[in-house]
C-alpha cells in the first residue's frame, strides 16, 4: 500500500472535504515533514490531507508499516509481539489496532458489500486479553 493508492481510494469520486462534504476545494501546499498534499475547503474553511478520515490520519509512520500491523493482526500476534516486531511501543500497537478495527466496523456498517470479498474469518483478528482482577487491600 502506498500514499497514491490511498489517495485514489479515498478520493475516488474527486476531492471532497471530509468534514462538510463539499467538493469546493483547492490544493493548499504540502505538509512539512511528510510531503503529503494538503487541501483547503472553500465551504467550511478547514484544511485536510489525503489521509484525513482514514486510520492513517495523524500518523508519522509509513503506510507500509500499517500493512505490517495488519499482517500481525491477521496472524493473531499479541500486542507485545507486534510491538517488538515493528519496533513500536505497545501503546502504539494498541492504538493502531483499535484504529484499524474501528475503520473495519465503520466500513462494514456503511457498505456491507465493501468486505464481501475480503471478509476476515472469525479468528483473523484474534484479540488476546488477560482477565483484569481488582485487588483489595
Amino acid at each position: 500500500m502506498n500514499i497514491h493508492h490511498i489517495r485514489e481510494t479515498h478520493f475516488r469520486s474527486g476531492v471532497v472535504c471530509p468534514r462538510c462534504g463539499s467538493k469546493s476545494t483547492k490544493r493548499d501546499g504540502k505538509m512539512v515533514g511528510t510531503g503529503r498534499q494538503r487541501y483547503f475547503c472553500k465551504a467550511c474553511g478547514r484544511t485536510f490531507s489525503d489521509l484525513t478520515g482514514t486510520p492513517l490520519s495523524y500518523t508519522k509512520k509509513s503506510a507500509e508499516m500499517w500493512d505490517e500491523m495488519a499482517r500481525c493482526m491477521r496472524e493473531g500476534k499479541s500486542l507485545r509481539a507486534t510491538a517488538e516486531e515493528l519496533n513500536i511501543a505497545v501503546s502504539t500497537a494498541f492504538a493502531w489496532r483499535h484504529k484499524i478495527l474501528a475503520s473495519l466496523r465503520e466500513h462494514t456498517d456503511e457498505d456491507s458489500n465493501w468486505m464481501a470479498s475480503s471478509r476476515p474469518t472469525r479468528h483473523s483478528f484474534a484479540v488476546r486479553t488477560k482477565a483484569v482482577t481488582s485487588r483489595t487491600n
Side-chain angles (χ1 to χ4, degrees), residues 23-51:
K23 287 190 175 188
S24 181
T25 62
K26 68 176 188 172
R27 289 183 185 195
D28 193 35
K30 301 265 182 171
M31 300 181 108
V32 176
T34 63
R36 290 188 209 125
Q37 181 65 53
R38 195 164 88 174
Y39 300 94
F40 176 78
C41 177
K42 295 176 185 177
C44 70
R46 306 285 300 266
T47 62
F48 58 96
S49 78
D50 301 330
L51 302 179

Side-chain angles (χ1 to χ4, degrees), residues 18-102:
R19 292 180 179 89
C20 72
S22 173
K23 287 190 175 188
S24 181
T25 62
K26 68 176 188 172
R27 289 183 185 195
D28 193 35
K30 301 265 182 171
M31 300 181 108
V32 176
T34 63
R36 290 188 209 125
Q37 181 65 53
R38 195 164 88 174
Y39 300 94
F40 176 78
C41 177
K42 295 176 185 177
C44 70
R46 306 285 300 266
T47 62
F48 58 96
S49 78
D50 301 330
L51 302 179
T52 302
T54 71
L56 301 178
S57 61
Y58 302 106
T59 186
K60 293 173 180 61
K61 302 291 186 185
S62 69
E64 289 75 19
M65 178 147 315
W66 282 81
D67 282 343
E68 290 299 309
M69 176 68 187
R71 180 188 53 76
C72 288
M73 289 174 66
R74 283 191 306 273
E75 291 174 0
K77 291 188 176 184
S78 69
L79 287 175
R80 199 171 303 278
T82 299
E84 186 174 314
E85 183 175 327
L86 301 181
N87 197 27
I88 57 176
V90 174
S91 59
T92 301
F94 178 84
W96 286 13
R97 179 179 70 182
H98 285 277
K99 274 187 156 189
I100 291 170
L101 292 174

Side-chain angles (χ1 to χ4, degrees), residues 96-127:
W96 286 13
R97 179 179 70 182
H98 285 277
K99 274 187 156 189
I100 291 170
L101 292 174
S103 179
L104 288 172
R105 268 192 305 275
E106 181 180 311
H107 284 289
T108 303
D109 292 344
E110 287 177 4
D111 181 11
S112 59
N113 294 326
W114 179 80
M115 289 185 57
S117 63
S118 62
R119 183 162 298 205
T121 63
R122 67 186 171 126
H123 298 293
S124 313
F125 294 108
V127 178

